[in-house]
Amino acid sequence: MTRNAAGVAVAVTALLLGVTACGNDGGTSASAAETPAAKHSALTGTADKTAKSALADLVVLPGGYVADPGNPTGAFTATSYLNTWSADPALDRALLLNAGFVEGYRATRLSPDKKKRFTVQLFKTGSAAKAQALQNGLWTQDTHDHPFAVPDALSDANVEYDGGTDQSVATAEASLAIGTTVVELTVREAASLGTTLTPDTALITTLAKDQRTRLTAPSN
């Protein structure tokens, strides 16, 4: 996936010239998974643990997956997201500002055999319309040309060569805008070149459905 950030950043910057203020672990279905070269939603880092997030109870995680010691789970602020996970801080700052970003939450898990890494990120925004705009802004930063069937979601699955690690990487991902919340789901598996890899679209499809059910429950 290649970045299309340059053109997008110019458009977002122009959109925001007049803006002066910013509004501030359940589920299913494998050598420890090396982290692929930094891409959106794949960057590693330490989550901001200073705030108790109301989003924590809304996250759906795959059953049987285990904690990922190298990628702690927790809440994040706009600042900690930009400093830790963003591949394009200037662009993402503008997107979060425009969305009236309120709070975020990130969790990662490893499959029992440590071959796959699952990541979920939730972004709470100022309105349903702003959630849609943020979803599209984050999604279009990468090239997505292999969609698969996930109801009411953006999706992509591919196998690519990662020059940073000299490995093949299979990725399945989906993005949902549910009310005022944007949800990003990703499962990645890295292996030596020549290994046959298949993106885990089944896991992403199931978790996307379960995540929508959780976020649209009457209690939420």
Side-chain angles (χ1 to χ4, degrees):
M1 293 185 241
T2 50
R3 284 280 184 183
N4 300 315
V8 179
V10 171
V12 175
T13 301
L15 176 65
L16 297 175
L17 282 176
V19 178
T20 59
C22 163
N24 266 280
D25 227 50
T28 318
S29 101
S31 94
E34 280 90 354
T35 303
K39 288 187 177 182
H40 180 69
S41 294
L43 302 179
T44 59
T46 302
D48 181 350
K49 299 180 180 180
T50 60
K52 172 64 177 178
S53 175
L55 298 176
D57 294 334
L58 300 179
V59 172
V60 174
L61 296 171
Y65 275 49
V66 300
D68 182 359
N71 295 274
T73 287
F76 62 81
T77 63
T79 298
S80 58
Y81 176 78
L82 295 172
N83 290 340
T84 309
W85 295 299
S86 173
D88 191 333
L91 174 57
D92 287 340
R93 181 179 292 106
L95 289 171
L96 294 177
L97 173 63
N98 192 48
F101 175 77
V102 178
E103 63 175 327
Y105 195 85
R106 177 185 174 101
T108 66
R109 291 293 185 271
L110 294 174
S111 58
D113 59 9
K114 307 297 192 298
K115 290 184 177 180
K116 298 180 183 180
R117 173 177 285 114
F118 171 78
T119 304
V120 55
Q121 295 187 137
L122 271 61
F123 300 81
K124 186 73 171 178
T125 71
S127 70
K130 290 182 176 182
Q132 289 279 354
L134 179 61
Q135 177 197 30
N136 290 329
L138 294 173
W139 187 257
T140 55
Q141 290 183 50
D142 294 324
T143 298
H144 298 99
D145 49 15
H146 295 88
F148 56 99
V150 181
D152 301 313
L154 302 173
S155 62
D156 192 67
N158 64 78
V159 179
E160 294 184 327
Y161 169 67
D162 183 344
T165 61
D166 196 31
Q167 292 181 311
S168 293
V169 181
T171 304
E173 56 188 325
S175 173
L176 305 85
I178 306 171
T180 61
T181 303
V182 176
V183 183
E184 294 188 327
L185 309 170
T186 305
V187 59
R188 283 187 170 88
E189 180 179 5
S192 59
L193 294 179
T195 304
T196 300
L197 294 176
T198 302
D200 198 341
T201 57
L203 176 61
I204 290 295
T205 301
T206 298
L207 291 177
K209 177 182 178 181
D210 292 346
Q211 188 68 74
R212 183 175 294 280
T213 298
R214 176 77 59 86
L215 285 170
T216 56
S219 59
N220 298 322

